[in-house]
Amino acid sequence: MSALSELLGPGESTPRRFSAGELVACGECARANPPTRMNCIYCGAALPVTAESEALRRPTLRKLEEWENGFNLVLSPRREAKSPSPEALAEAADLLRLEAAQLSACVEAGTALPVARAATLEEAQLIERRLRALGLSVEAVSDEELGASKMPKRIRALEITDDELVGWGGPEEDAGGVAWGEVELFVAGRIFTKRLEVEEVRKRLKGRQETIDAREMLFDEAVLDIFHASDEGGAGWRIMAESFDYSCLGARKGLLARDNFNTLVETLRARALTAEFDEDYVRLRHLLAAVWPLAERTESLGLRRSRPGRLSTEAVTTASNEMQFTRYARLRQVLARKGRKRLT
């Protein structure tokens, strides 16, 4: 390998040439690597940190698969009146692979938001150090701490008494009761799902697929996550507006699920007086997409005989923000619990 390597340094828009003395030798394969890297470009092993490379290292910030656990770098709301300088924000945005305007919007949002998702703790700690040096307050929250792999319990009916809130997940499930004083947090939002169905047929002469039909459907549903102190796992309860029995509202039950959902939220908040309430997800969700993108899945529906002598293939692509909302709600719960512990 050449003694000089042309790569971008932190905050640089043009390639930088590193001298032989600045290159870092891999402890596994002994090959020289640019000091900006955290892992060997050849074998993937973690590179040793030197005094010279510490200031030059850059996080990889590769996109993680849905099943992978990572570390979320959460930007804390600004407490001081003075904002970070435009130069500091530009350098931080470059480090995080974000647009400067998006990072600035996260800073001005006034609430804790994720600005990066790292694959390893070492990478997360590097980002923490760099951002704090630029005047930004961040905290690493792992996916395990968020319980991202656990979906909340779907609640389809409630009983509201003076002492507790009782929830049922279904006719074959046992009811679970929670005292009103144990209810800690309500997080309201909306679940958006887009379903695209595409039918294609192969042209024999041209040998390529041609779309003969495409259907796009959009679904939008209100959602409420409920967290309580007795749920140690932190998965919480989830109420979906269109699949809930509103009989618990009694005489206040109306004809429309939208109105009933709003009445239910008001009723629960009036009972759980010590619980926090968050309804900012819809306002903030565009700022979450860079770190927590929509979950997208494509599946084939196989062959279909559209007419005699012609076979077509069908595929369905579904994009949903449900996991994004779940992460958002869990983050609010984790931060709320940490805040309560600091006060005790």
Side-chain angles (χ1 to χ4, degrees), residues 59-126:
T60 306
L61 289 178
R62 68 175 178 85
K63 183 180 179 180
L64 302 184
E65 300 293 336
E66 288 186 27
W67 52 266
E68 289 185 279
N69 282 328
F71 296 84
N72 305 280
L73 279 300
V74 180
L75 182 69
S76 300
R78 189 162 41 87
R79 293 182 175 86
E80 65 279 359
K82 185 178 179 181
S83 301
S85 67
E87 294 76 17
L89 283 176
E91 186 174 342
D94 179 67
L95 180 76
L96 298 170
R97 317 300 203 268
L98 295 176
E99 295 292 334
Q102 182 177 7
L103 181 58
S104 179
C106 290
V107 172
E108 299 299 328
T111 188
L113 290 172
V115 291
R117 185 165 175 239
T120 65
L121 179 59
E122 181 186 18
E123 188 176 30
Q125 290 172 339
L126 171 65

Side-chain angles (χ1 to χ4, degrees), residues 87-328:
E87 294 76 17
L89 283 176
E91 186 174 342
D94 179 67
L95 180 76
L96 298 170
R97 317 300 203 268
L98 295 176
E99 295 292 334
Q102 182 177 7
L103 181 58
S104 179
C106 290
V107 172
E108 299 299 328
T111 188
L113 290 172
V115 291
R117 185 165 175 239
T120 65
L121 179 59
E122 181 186 18
E123 188 176 30
Q125 290 172 339
L126 171 65
I127 297 171
E128 274 190 275
R129 292 195 299 271
R130 293 288 171 78
L131 293 183
R132 287 177 178 173
L134 293 170
L136 297 172
S137 177
V138 292
E139 175 184 0
V141 179
S142 69
D143 284 334
E144 290 186 356
E145 194 174 0
L146 290 181
S149 61
K150 297 179 293 185
M151 293 304 292
K153 180 180 180 180
R154 286 288 297 273
I155 299 297
R156 302 184 186 277
L158 290 172
E159 180 183 355
I160 300 173
T161 71
D162 291 337
D163 300 321
E164 65 177 355
L165 178 66
V166 183
W168 281 272
E172 297 181 358
E173 295 185 23
D174 294 332
V178 180
W180 289 113
E182 289 189 334
V183 179
E184 299 175 322
L185 174 68
F186 297 109
V187 182
R190 303 195 73 84
I191 300 297
F192 305 94
T193 303
K194 181 172 72 172
R195 179 182 171 93
L196 178 64
E197 300 177 357
V198 177
E199 184 179 354
E200 296 180 326
V201 65
R202 181 178 294 278
K203 292 291 186 179
R204 292 183 179 179
L205 296 178
K206 298 180 180 179
R208 59 181 177 83
Q209 295 286 105
E210 179 178 313
T211 299
I212 59 174
D213 191 18
R215 300 172 294 277
E216 183 175 285
M217 291 165 283
L218 299 175
F219 305 92
D220 176 9
E221 188 172 0
V223 60
L224 179 72
D225 276 11
I226 305 172
F227 297 95
H228 51 90
S230 55
D231 181 14
E232 295 182 359
W237 292 358
R238 173 163 295 174
I239 295 173
M240 300 296 296
E242 304 295 334
S243 55
F244 182 79
D245 180 359
Y246 291 99
S247 298
C248 60
L249 297 178
R252 300 184 67 191
K253 180 182 176 182
L255 297 177
L256 300 179
R258 177 192 60 195
D259 297 334
N260 287 330
F261 183 82
N262 293 334
T263 302
L264 177 66
V265 172
E266 292 173 4
T267 302
L268 295 178
R269 292 185 66 186
R271 295 274 187 168
L273 297 177
T274 60
E276 297 180 39
F277 180 69
D278 185 291
E279 58 179 345
D280 290 333
Y281 170 75
V282 173
R283 175 177 67 89
L284 300 171
R285 72 187 187 96
H286 69 287
L287 298 175
L288 302 173
V291 181
W292 296 334
L294 301 185
E296 188 171 301
R297 183 181 71 255
T298 300
E299 57 182 330
S300 174
L301 299 183
L303 291 173
R304 176 176 176 269
R305 187 178 298 278
S306 56
R307 69 185 187 193
R310 186 170 78 170
L311 294 176
S312 61
T313 60
E314 285 192 75
V316 176
T317 299
T318 304
S320 172
N321 70 324
E322 184 170 8
M323 181 54 70
Q324 183 190 82
F325 174 77
T326 299
R327 289 179 180 276
Y328 174 86

